[in-house]
Amino acid sequence: MTMNNVGRPTAPGAAATASGHTSLTGARGLLQDEPLIFELGGWDKTGVDFDPPDHDAYDLGDLVRTAPIGIPGLSEPETLRHYVRLSQKNHAIDLALYPLGSCTMKHNPRLNEKMARLPGFADLHPLQPQSTAQGALELMDRLAHWLKTLTGMPAVALTPKAGAHGELCGLLCIKAAHEAAGNGDRRRVLVPTSAHGTNPATAAFVGYSVEEIAQTADGRVDLADLEAKLGPDVAAIMVTNPNTCGLFEREIIEIARITHAHGAYFYCDGANFNAIVGRVRPGDLGVDAMHINLHKTFSTPHGGGGPGAGPVVLSEALAPFAPAPWLVHGPDGLELVEEARDQAAQTFGRMCAFQGQMGMFVRAYAYMRSHGSDGLRQVAEDAVLNANYIKAVLSAEMTPAFPDGPCMHEALFDDHWLEGTGVTTLDFAKAMIDEGFHPMTMYFPLVVHGAMLIEPTETESKRELDRFCDALLALARAAKAGDVERFTGAPYLAPLSRLDETMAARKPKLTWRPEHATPLAAE
Ligand SMILES: *Cc1c(COP(=O)(O)O)cnc(C)c1O
């Protein structure tokens, strides 16, 4: 294990070029090996000049601090460079294709950003009088209208701040509806084995016990198993459509029918709505509640790019239980109703302090308006076309998990084709980094062995898809030709090589302590 210039361990090979050349400083070309801001030192200086206090600092008596405050003191250029260098170590959708299946990493149009920065939206205060924020309320009202129209659902709760938060909102509506009908003793929620982890987690959080629904050999909900598990104690099913194998649930109407026949509700995980937006209305399929990830389907940034938003559309049966606030058209314009009253007297409560992520509403609405309804339909068509192109091209070397028939917006491969090569899905993904491509989603969904889930989205050009496929095919051939080291030690060309990801997840070090800075202290 080598150490970098501030004494932090650097994985072997981290600063070695392909030719084996190693730098003395840990830098790579003009990219410096970046220490933590605390390790940059300068405890006794500051980048800002303060006037001496014009009152007696000793007003504080013996409360005056005698030890250093412990904040790194950096000049303005040092601070700026630190953060710019950090940003260069991050992958971003603005840098290259980001093929994370299920995450829908699509281009975030700059027009949306421009709209979100209009002072009338960006400088709003959540407590300012509603009469002074009518434009913003109108935007929320129009966004709600588009979401209801696109999904064919009569109501929408805008406040949830992520997909998982939307799931919580939907299940709380379902719970409230059962309780209002005297069915509060329904304790089970059924979730397919391929579900995103947030589905069972949400159901458990709401207090339900979770039971798995089996999957058929062609990657879809096993209707017979679903029917066998439905019963008078089932509150809801949570099904994703298209599902996390990238497949449309062909029996979706039947799934809804038998679920309703047993008195349970159908929660649809709408994270994959981008595959069907403008083509299929979930309301027509019998869905009772569905979250929409604005940061996926409607192109608002996610991950490091900002907060998400997960509005939930609701059926007639669940709408009365929707969380506050909601918008009504009053005599003086639009009004946010903050508490239970009138038809909405049965609201289950609130999901957040104010009205949700205004900036995301603006971005999503700008995206909808710039595409129009025909453009949104084409979003779904192109997303599906791109995924099928990848599935077809990569099938030359890799094994699709469900070879029969087309996929929806993501192409799923298993690791069958790696058998006997000594290379695993993880190794293959790490080697992609050396070739300039962010890995696809790995080992999810769990029902597929060594899964590699690739979602190109509609925003990638054919040229970029070809570059991506060429790189993966070349890597696949290298793996089959026995060039195992290229994979097992990868990435060789990233700032850091293999990390102990399990340790990082299980025992994260989130706080810097001076004792970690031994080399500095010794200086
Ligand atoms: C992304 C995703 C979620 C969770 O959404 P967040 O906005 O990340 O909370 C749930 N289900 C599926 C299928 C997803 O892809």
Side-chain angles (χ1 to χ4, degrees):
M1 177 87 38
T2 54
M3 295 289 176
N4 69 9
N5 55 348
V6 291
R8 275 185 297 119
T10 306
T17 63
S19 63
H21 179 83
T22 324
S23 68
L24 300 172
T25 55
R28 174 178 292 280
L30 291 176
L31 271 185
Q32 296 187 9
D33 186 25
E34 192 62 18
L36 298 179
I37 196 166
F38 294 97
E39 294 165 341
L40 287 171
W43 297 96
D44 47 357
K45 65 176 185 179
T46 163
V48 199
D49 289 330
F50 291 113
D51 289 335
D54 57 4
H55 62 279
D56 185 356
Y58 292 92
D59 285 355
L60 291 172
D62 60 2
L63 293 176
V64 168
R65 171 184 282 281
T66 51
I69 193 167
I71 292 178
L74 267 63
S75 69
E76 182 172 320
E78 282 172 329
T79 312
L80 187 76
R81 285 174 182 165
H82 174 68
Y83 285 107
V84 170
R85 286 197 295 254
L86 282 188
S87 75
Q88 289 172 338
K89 294 201 189 310
N90 234 350
H91 190 71
I93 190 67
D94 288 354
L95 278 173
L97 174 83
Y98 211 147
L100 278 183
S102 220
C103 294
T104 313
M105 308 294 290
K106 59 167 81 170
H107 171 60
N108 313 133
R110 289 303 174 271
L111 176 67
N112 303 354
E113 296 302 316
K114 202 171 164 188
M115 295 301 109
R117 282 165 178 71
L118 289 173
F121 296 126
D123 298 344
L124 281 177
H125 191 283
L127 293 178
Q128 77 186 60
Q130 294 184 18
S131 61
T132 65
Q134 284 294 305
L137 296 183
E138 184 172 340
L139 184 137
M140 288 167 62
D141 194 46
R142 289 190 188 191
L143 174 70
H145 173 75
W146 275 75
L147 293 175
K148 289 185 286 187
T149 306
L150 288 167
T151 55
M153 303 283 277
V156 61
L158 289 178
T159 51
K161 294 191 173 180
H165 206 207
E167 291 171 30
L168 180 61
C169 174
L171 284 205
L172 288 175
C173 286
I174 288 172
K175 191 163 186 247
H178 280 312
E179 278 167 7
N183 292 327
D185 52 348
R186 288 180 177 258
R187 307 278 347 126
R188 285 192 301 144
V189 166
L190 307 181
V191 180
T193 33
S194 65
H196 193 268
T198 49
N199 293 185
T202 300
F205 189 71
V206 174
Y208 289 120
S209 67
V210 182
E211 211 168 307
E212 286 194 356
I213 314 168
Q215 172 173 304
T216 58
D218 70 348
R220 291 164 173 96
V221 166
D222 184 331
L223 263 189
D225 191 56
L226 170 64
E227 191 144 30
K229 287 180 178 151
L230 279 165
D233 59 341
V234 172
I237 61 163
M238 297 180 87
V239 171
T240 312
N241 191 32
N243 67 24
T244 58
C245 297
L247 302 170
F248 194 83
E249 292 287 352
R250 287 186 292 249
E251 306 281 1
I252 192 85
I253 291 180
E254 186 58 10
I255 289 173
R257 194 192 64 76
I258 58 176
T259 300
H260 292 150
H262 285 84
Y265 287 104
F266 177 4
Y267 185 90
C268 182
D269 179 329
N272 295 338
F273 189 45
N274 62 313
I276 56 172
V277 61
R279 306 262 326 177
V280 177
R281 300 192 315 164
D284 298 337
L285 306 177
V287 166
D288 292 297
M290 181 180 96
H291 73 259
I292 300 161
N293 308 60
L294 298 188
H295 46 290
K296 294 180 180 172
T297 302
F298 297 109
S299 86
T300 71
H302 53 153
V312 179
V313 287
L314 297 165
S315 64
E316 214 70 71
L318 294 182
F321 306 96
W326 54 87
L327 274 168
V328 292
H329 292 257
D332 302 321
L334 283 158
E335 206 187 316
L336 277 173
V337 179
E338 300 284 353
E339 58 208 37
R341 76 173 195 212
D342 306 335
Q343 309 101 306
Q346 290 172 285
T347 175
F348 74 73
R350 301 184 75 93
M351 292 302 292
C352 63
F354 298 115
Q355 73 293 322
Q357 303 286 19
M358 190 66 207
M360 295 301 130
F361 299 162
V362 180
R363 289 173 175 87
Y365 183 65
Y367 181 79
M368 291 170 171
R369 290 304 301 260
S370 54
H371 279 77
S373 50
D374 55 336
L376 287 177
R377 166 187 281 252
Q378 199 183 334
V379 160
E381 289 168 357
D382 289 351
V384 172
L385 183 64
N386 280 358
N388 277 285
Y389 183 70
I390 285 190
K391 181 178 176 188
V393 175
L394 293 187
S395 293
E397 296 289 348
M398 297 162 61
T399 42
F402 300 100
D404 296 336
C407 58
M408 294 298 285
H409 61 304
E410 43 200 6
L412 179 58
F413 295 88
D414 59 25
D415 62 357
H416 190 61
W417 61 281
L418 282 172
E419 255 165 44
T421 60
V423 175
T424 64
T425 292
L426 179 75
D427 300 328
F428 185 76
K430 295 294 183 193
M432 284 172 66
I433 297 174
D434 286 335
E435 303 304 326
F437 289 102
H438 192 283
M440 67 293 266
T441 291
M442 290 178 282
Y443 300 106
F444 175 80
L446 305 177
V447 286
V448 167
H449 199 270
M452 301 173 216
L453 184 61
I454 303 175
E455 179 173 5
T457 80
E458 79 284 0
T459 55
E460 296 304 331
S461 64
K462 173 156 183 306
R463 179 176 173 278
E464 189 60 13
L465 295 181
D466 283 336
R467 249 172 38 80
F468 175 73
C469 289
D470 287 349
L472 264 65
L473 290 174
L475 277 178
R477 285 192 289 268
K480 290 179 187 178
D483 188 0
V484 179
E485 244 174 70
R486 169 182 297 280
F487 297 90
T488 48
Y492 293 99
L493 302 175
L496 290 180
S497 187
R498 282 292 169 107
L499 303 173
D500 188 340
E501 288 162 358
T502 312
M503 178 81 105
R506 295 284 175 260
K507 294 190 177 162
K509 269 193 196 153
L510 301 176
T511 315
W512 180 85
R513 291 186 205 292
E515 62 265 27
H516 296 154
T518 325
L520 266 190
E523 272 170 11

mmCIF file of all heavy atoms in Angstrom, residues 153-189:
data_model
loop_
_atom_site.group_PDB
_atom_site.id
_atom_site.type_symbol
_atom_site.label_atom_id
_atom_site.label_comp_id
_atom_site.label_asym_id
_atom_site.label_seq_id
_atom_site.Cartn_x
_atom_site.Cartn_y
_atom_site.Cartn_z
ATOM 1 N N MET A 153 -55.124 9.707 -14.046
ATOM 2 C CA MET A 153 -55.537 9.577 -12.643
ATOM 3 C C MET A 153 -56.176 10.892 -12.192
ATOM 4 O O MET A 153 -55.775 11.967 -12.637
ATOM 5 C CB MET A 153 -54.319 9.271 -11.758
ATOM 6 C CG MET A 153 -53.552 8.023 -12.161
ATOM 7 S SD MET A 153 -54.325 6.486 -11.659
ATOM 8 C CE MET A 153 -53.770 6.358 -9.967
ATOM 9 N N PRO A 154 -57.165 10.833 -11.272
ATOM 10 C CA PRO A 154 -57.907 12.045 -10.935
ATOM 11 C C PRO A 154 -57.236 12.980 -9.935
ATOM 12 O O PRO A 154 -57.657 14.125 -9.804
ATOM 13 C CB PRO A 154 -59.208 11.486 -10.334
ATOM 14 C CG PRO A 154 -58.841 10.149 -9.806
ATOM 15 C CD PRO A 154 -57.759 9.620 -10.694
ATOM 16 N N ALA A 155 -56.219 12.518 -9.202
ATOM 17 C CA ALA A 155 -55.645 13.384 -8.160
ATOM 18 C C ALA A 155 -54.137 13.183 -8.096
ATOM 19 O O ALA A 155 -53.626 12.135 -8.493
ATOM 20 C CB ALA A 155 -56.260 13.040 -6.800
ATOM 21 N N VAL A 156 -53.453 14.209 -7.587
ATOM 22 C CA VAL A 156 -52.005 14.068 -7.406
ATOM 23 C C VAL A 156 -51.570 14.811 -6.153
ATOM 24 O O VAL A 156 -52.061 15.902 -5.862
ATOM 25 C CB VAL A 156 -51.224 14.564 -8.648
ATOM 26 C CG1 VAL A 156 -51.468 16.038 -8.933
ATOM 27 C CG2 VAL A 156 -49.726 14.307 -8.511
ATOM 28 N N ALA A 157 -50.684 14.170 -5.392
ATOM 29 C CA ALA A 157 -50.061 14.815 -4.233
ATOM 30 C C ALA A 157 -48.657 15.226 -4.669
ATOM 31 O O ALA A 157 -47.856 14.372 -5.042
ATOM 32 C CB ALA A 157 -49.987 13.835 -3.057
ATOM 33 N N LEU A 158 -48.386 16.535 -4.657
ATOM 34 C CA LEU A 158 -47.108 17.006 -5.209
ATOM 35 C C LEU A 158 -45.958 16.968 -4.201
ATOM 36 O O LEU A 158 -44.804 17.034 -4.592
ATOM 37 C CB LEU A 158 -47.255 18.457 -5.707
ATOM 38 C CG LEU A 158 -48.094 18.685 -6.965
ATOM 39 C CD1 LEU A 158 -48.175 20.180 -7.273
ATOM 40 C CD2 LEU A 158 -47.519 17.945 -8.158
ATOM 41 N N THR A 159 -46.258 16.890 -2.911
ATOM 42 C CA THR A 159 -45.211 17.177 -1.925
ATOM 43 C C THR A 159 -44.104 16.134 -1.760
ATOM 44 O O THR A 159 -43.008 16.522 -1.392
ATOM 45 C CB THR A 159 -45.814 17.465 -0.527
ATOM 46 O OG1 THR A 159 -46.707 16.426 -0.185
ATOM 47 C CG2 THR A 159 -46.519 18.792 -0.520
ATOM 48 N N PRO A 160 -44.307 14.832 -1.983
ATOM 49 C CA PRO A 160 -43.202 13.902 -1.684
ATOM 50 C C PRO A 160 -41.918 14.281 -2.416
ATOM 51 O O PRO A 160 -41.953 14.743 -3.558
ATOM 52 C CB PRO A 160 -43.746 12.553 -2.147
ATOM 53 C CG PRO A 160 -45.216 12.682 -2.031
ATOM 54 C CD PRO A 160 -45.513 14.108 -2.409
ATOM 55 N N LYS A 161 -40.799 14.081 -1.736
ATOM 56 C CA LYS A 161 -39.539 14.625 -2.227
ATOM 57 C C LYS A 161 -38.629 13.604 -2.897
ATOM 58 O O LYS A 161 -37.465 13.896 -3.158
ATOM 59 C CB LYS A 161 -38.817 15.306 -1.076
ATOM 60 C CG LYS A 161 -39.589 16.524 -0.600
ATOM 61 C CD LYS A 161 -38.801 17.366 0.346
ATOM 62 C CE LYS A 161 -39.574 18.639 0.645
ATOM 63 N NZ LYS A 161 -38.862 19.513 1.557
ATOM 64 N N ALA A 162 -39.099 12.403 -3.115
ATOM 65 C CA ALA A 162 -38.303 11.391 -3.816
ATOM 66 C C ALA A 162 -39.247 10.252 -4.145
ATOM 67 O O ALA A 162 -40.382 10.220 -3.656
ATOM 68 C CB ALA A 162 -37.168 10.884 -2.932
ATOM 69 N N GLY A 163 -38.770 9.307 -4.942
ATOM 70 C CA GLY A 163 -39.590 8.144 -5.257
ATOM 71 C C GLY A 163 -39.969 7.391 -3.989
ATOM 72 O O GLY A 163 -41.135 7.050 -3.766
ATOM 73 N N ALA A 164 -38.968 7.152 -3.136
ATOM 74 C CA ALA A 164 -39.226 6.399 -1.910
ATOM 75 C C ALA A 164 -40.215 7.148 -1.011
ATOM 76 O O ALA A 164 -41.076 6.541 -0.374
ATOM 77 C CB ALA A 164 -37.912 6.142 -1.177
ATOM 78 N N HIS A 165 -40.100 8.467 -0.987
ATOM 79 C CA HIS A 165 -41.023 9.293 -0.197
ATOM 80 C C HIS A 165 -42.435 9.189 -0.793
ATOM 81 O O HIS A 165 -43.428 9.167 -0.059
ATOM 82 C CB HIS A 165 -40.521 10.748 -0.235
ATOM 83 C CG HIS A 165 -40.916 11.583 0.938
ATOM 84 N ND1 HIS A 165 -41.038 12.946 0.844
ATOM 85 C CD2 HIS A 165 -41.198 11.274 2.214
ATOM 86 C CE1 HIS A 165 -41.390 13.435 2.032
ATOM 87 N NE2 HIS A 165 -41.488 12.432 2.871
ATOM 88 N N GLY A 166 -42.509 9.089 -2.120
ATOM 89 C CA GLY A 166 -43.784 8.907 -2.794
ATOM 90 C C GLY A 166 -44.403 7.561 -2.443
ATOM 91 O O GLY A 166 -45.617 7.450 -2.224
ATOM 92 N N GLU A 167 -43.566 6.530 -2.366
ATOM 93 C CA GLU A 167 -44.069 5.206 -1.961
ATOM 94 C C GLU A 167 -44.687 5.304 -0.572
ATOM 95 O O GLU A 167 -45.769 4.764 -0.309
ATOM 96 C CB GLU A 167 -42.923 4.184 -1.928
ATOM 97 C CG GLU A 167 -42.361 3.837 -3.286
ATOM 98 C CD GLU A 167 -41.100 2.990 -3.186
ATOM 99 O OE1 GLU A 167 -40.958 2.224 -2.210
ATOM 100 O OE2 GLU A 167 -40.240 3.094 -4.073
ATOM 101 N N LEU A 168 -43.979 6.017 0.314
ATOM 102 C CA LEU A 168 -44.489 6.181 1.684
ATOM 103 C C LEU A 168 -45.837 6.904 1.648
ATOM 104 O O LEU A 168 -46.797 6.487 2.312
ATOM 105 C CB LEU A 168 -43.466 6.976 2.506
ATOM 106 C CG LEU A 168 -43.827 7.248 3.964
ATOM 107 C CD1 LEU A 168 -43.989 5.957 4.731
ATOM 108 C CD2 LEU A 168 -42.756 8.123 4.621
ATOM 109 N N CYS A 169 -45.917 7.950 0.838
ATOM 110 C CA CYS A 169 -47.164 8.714 0.705
ATOM 111 C C CYS A 169 -48.295 7.798 0.218
ATOM 112 O O CYS A 169 -49.393 7.792 0.766
ATOM 113 C CB CYS A 169 -46.926 9.868 -0.269
ATOM 114 S SG CYS A 169 -48.395 10.806 -0.671
ATOM 115 N N GLY A 170 -48.005 7.008 -0.822
ATOM 116 C CA GLY A 170 -49.022 6.119 -1.398
ATOM 117 C C GLY A 170 -49.496 5.087 -0.374
ATOM 118 O O GLY A 170 -50.702 4.851 -0.213
ATOM 119 N N LEU A 171 -48.550 4.477 0.342
ATOM 120 C CA LEU A 171 -48.948 3.450 1.309
ATOM 121 C C LEU A 171 -49.684 4.061 2.502
ATOM 122 O O LEU A 171 -50.585 3.435 3.067
ATOM 123 C CB LEU A 171 -47.734 2.645 1.785
ATOM 124 C CG LEU A 171 -47.177 1.595 0.817
ATOM 125 C CD1 LEU A 171 -46.435 0.504 1.569
ATOM 126 C CD2 LEU A 171 -48.234 0.956 -0.071
ATOM 127 N N LEU A 172 -49.328 5.296 2.875
ATOM 128 C CA LEU A 172 -50.071 5.947 3.975
ATOM 129 C C LEU A 172 -51.512 6.250 3.537
ATOM 130 O O LEU A 172 -52.439 6.137 4.342
ATOM 131 C CB LEU A 172 -49.348 7.214 4.433
ATOM 132 C CG LEU A 172 -48.051 6.975 5.219
ATOM 133 C CD1 LEU A 172 -47.340 8.292 5.520
ATOM 134 C CD2 LEU A 172 -48.308 6.212 6.526
ATOM 135 N N CYS A 173 -51.697 6.596 2.265
ATOM 136 C CA CYS A 173 -53.064 6.790 1.740
ATOM 137 C C CYS A 173 -53.830 5.470 1.804
ATOM 138 O O CYS A 173 -55.003 5.420 2.201
ATOM 139 C CB CYS A 173 -53.036 7.261 0.286
ATOM 140 S SG CYS A 173 -52.556 8.971 0.067
ATOM 141 N N ILE A 174 -53.148 4.395 1.379
ATOM 142 C CA ILE A 174 -53.792 3.078 1.351
ATOM 143 C C ILE A 174 -54.172 2.654 2.781
ATOM 144 O O ILE A 174 -55.281 2.169 3.045
ATOM 145 C CB ILE A 174 -52.855 2.050 0.673
ATOM 146 C CG1 ILE A 174 -52.803 2.341 -0.831
ATOM 147 C CG2 ILE A 174 -53.278 0.615 0.969
ATOM 148 C CD1 ILE A 174 -51.775 1.547 -1.613
ATOM 149 N N LYS A 175 -53.251 2.889 3.711
ATOM 150 C CA LYS A 175 -53.508 2.516 5.107
ATOM 151 C C LYS A 175 -54.713 3.313 5.639
ATOM 152 O O LYS A 175 -55.628 2.745 6.271
ATOM 153 C CB LYS A 175 -52.262 2.834 5.940
ATOM 154 C CG LYS A 175 -52.274 2.282 7.323
ATOM 155 C CD LYS A 175 -50.860 2.283 7.909
ATOM 156 C CE LYS A 175 -50.831 1.600 9.247
ATOM 157 N NZ LYS A 175 -50.528 2.515 10.333
ATOM 158 N N ALA A 176 -54.724 4.611 5.339
ATOM 159 C CA ALA A 176 -55.822 5.460 5.821
ATOM 160 C C ALA A 176 -57.144 5.005 5.210
ATOM 161 O O ALA A 176 -58.180 4.969 5.888
ATOM 162 C CB ALA A 176 -55.543 6.922 5.465
ATOM 163 N N ALA A 177 -57.110 4.617 3.922
ATOM 164 C CA ALA A 177 -58.346 4.176 3.250
ATOM 165 C C ALA A 177 -58.869 2.889 3.883
ATOM 166 O O ALA A 177 -60.069 2.739 4.123
ATOM 167 C CB ALA A 177 -58.084 3.977 1.758
ATOM 168 N N HIS A 178 -57.950 1.956 4.164
ATOM 169 C CA HIS A 178 -58.384 0.704 4.814
ATOM 170 C C HIS A 178 -58.951 0.987 6.202
ATOM 171 O O HIS A 178 -59.974 0.426 6.596
ATOM 172 C CB HIS A 178 -57.207 -0.275 4.932
ATOM 173 C CG HIS A 178 -56.913 -1.015 3.661
ATOM 174 N ND1 HIS A 178 -57.892 -1.627 2.914
ATOM 175 C CD2 HIS A 178 -55.745 -1.255 3.007
ATOM 176 C CE1 HIS A 178 -57.346 -2.220 1.856
ATOM 177 N NE2 HIS A 178 -56.042 -2.001 1.875
ATOM 178 N N GLU A 179 -58.273 1.862 6.934
ATOM 179 C CA GLU A 179 -58.750 2.160 8.298
ATOM 180 C C GLU A 179 -60.127 2.819 8.253
ATOM 181 O O GLU A 179 -61.016 2.474 9.032
ATOM 182 C CB GLU A 179 -57.733 3.032 9.041
ATOM 183 C CG GLU A 179 -56.607 2.170 9.612
ATOM 184 C CD GLU A 179 -55.400 2.967 10.079
ATOM 185 O OE1 GLU A 179 -55.468 4.210 10.091
ATOM 186 O OE2 GLU A 179 -54.392 2.307 10.422
ATOM 187 N N ALA A 180 -60.316 3.743 7.286
ATOM 188 C CA ALA A 180 -61.609 4.427 7.178
ATOM 189 C C ALA A 180 -62.724 3.443 6.833
ATOM 190 O O ALA A 180 -63.878 3.634 7.213
ATOM 191 C CB ALA A 180 -61.524 5.516 6.111
ATOM 192 N N ALA A 181 -62.370 2.363 6.138
ATOM 193 C CA ALA A 181 -63.380 1.375 5.747
ATOM 194 C C ALA A 181 -63.507 0.258 6.785
ATOM 195 O O ALA A 181 -64.187 -0.748 6.548
ATOM 196 C CB ALA A 181 -62.998 0.793 4.382
ATOM 197 N N GLY A 182 -62.810 0.419 7.911
ATOM 198 C CA GLY A 182 -62.879 -0.606 8.959
ATOM 199 C C GLY A 182 -62.041 -1.830 8.651
ATOM 200 O O GLY A 182 -62.245 -2.910 9.213
ATOM 201 N N ASN A 183 -61.063 -1.661 7.734
ATOM 202 C CA ASN A 183 -60.212 -2.799 7.364
ATOM 203 C C ASN A 183 -58.779 -2.620 7.845
ATOM 204 O O ASN A 183 -57.835 -3.080 7.203
ATOM 205 C CB ASN A 183 -60.178 -2.963 5.830
ATOM 206 C CG ASN A 183 -61.523 -3.407 5.299
ATOM 207 O OD1 ASN A 183 -62.243 -4.152 5.978
ATOM 208 N ND2 ASN A 183 -61.872 -2.944 4.112
ATOM 209 N N GLY A 184 -58.620 -1.950 8.957
ATOM 210 C CA GLY A 184 -57.286 -1.660 9.476
ATOM 211 C C GLY A 184 -56.487 -2.900 9.830
ATOM 212 O O GLY A 184 -55.296 -2.827 10.098
ATOM 213 N N ASP A 185 -57.166 -4.068 9.836
ATOM 214 C CA ASP A 185 -56.439 -5.290 10.205
ATOM 215 C C ASP A 185 -55.732 -5.946 9.012
ATOM 216 O O ASP A 185 -55.125 -7.001 9.155
ATOM 217 C CB ASP A 185 -57.395 -6.284 10.870
ATOM 218 C CG ASP A 185 -58.634 -6.516 10.016
ATOM 219 O OD1 ASP A 185 -58.839 -5.733 9.041
ATOM 220 O OD2 ASP A 185 -59.388 -7.459 10.312
ATOM 221 N N ARG A 186 -55.796 -5.319 7.857
ATOM 222 C CA ARG A 186 -55.028 -5.853 6.708
ATOM 223 C C ARG A 186 -53.554 -5.546 6.957
ATOM 224 O O ARG A 186 -53.151 -4.396 7.018
ATOM 225 C CB ARG A 186 -55.514 -5.223 5.404
ATOM 226 C CG ARG A 186 -56.887 -5.728 4.976
ATOM 227 C CD ARG A 186 -57.344 -5.086 3.675
ATOM 228 N NE ARG A 186 -58.620 -5.633 3.254
ATOM 229 C CZ ARG A 186 -58.753 -6.558 2.288
ATOM 230 N NH1 ARG A 186 -57.695 -6.981 1.625
ATOM 231 N NH2 ARG A 186 -59.947 -7.018 1.969
ATOM 232 N N ARG A 187 -52.730 -6.578 7.088
ATOM 233 C CA ARG A 187 -51.363 -6.408 7.591
ATOM 234 C C ARG A 187 -50.266 -6.721 6.569
ATOM 235 O O ARG A 187 -49.100 -6.508 6.818
ATOM 236 C CB ARG A 187 -51.112 -7.338 8.814
ATOM 237 C CG ARG A 187 -52.099 -7.224 9.925
ATOM 238 C CD ARG A 187 -51.908 -6.084 10.915
ATOM 239 N NE ARG A 187 -50.650 -5.404 10.853
ATOM 240 C CZ ARG A 187 -50.530 -4.087 10.711
ATOM 241 N NH1 ARG A 187 -51.593 -3.319 10.610
ATOM 242 N NH2 ARG A 187 -49.343 -3.526 10.681
ATOM 243 N N ARG A 188 -50.652 -7.323 5.436
ATOM 244 C CA ARG A 188 -49.593 -7.794 4.521
ATOM 245 C C ARG A 188 -49.541 -6.958 3.250
ATOM 246 O O ARG A 188 -50.569 -6.485 2.755
ATOM 247 C CB ARG A 188 -49.843 -9.258 4.128
ATOM 248 C CG ARG A 188 -49.507 -10.251 5.233
ATOM 249 C CD ARG A 188 -49.488 -11.663 4.687
ATOM 250 N NE ARG A 188 -50.769 -12.049 4.106
ATOM 251 C CZ ARG A 188 -50.895 -12.831 3.028
ATOM 252 N NH1 ARG A 188 -49.818 -13.316 2.423
ATOM 253 N NH2 ARG A 188 -52.096 -13.142 2.560
ATOM 254 N N VAL A 189 -48.317 -6.801 2.731
ATOM 255 C CA VAL A 189 -48.121 -6.162 1.433
ATOM 256 C C VAL A 189 -47.317 -7.127 0.568
ATOM 257 O O VAL A 189 -46.312 -7.694 1.027
ATOM 258 C CB VAL A 189 -47.392 -4.809 1.593
ATOM 259 C CG1 VAL A 189 -46.885 -4.297 0.249
ATOM 260 C CG2 VAL A 189 -48.321 -3.773 2.215
#
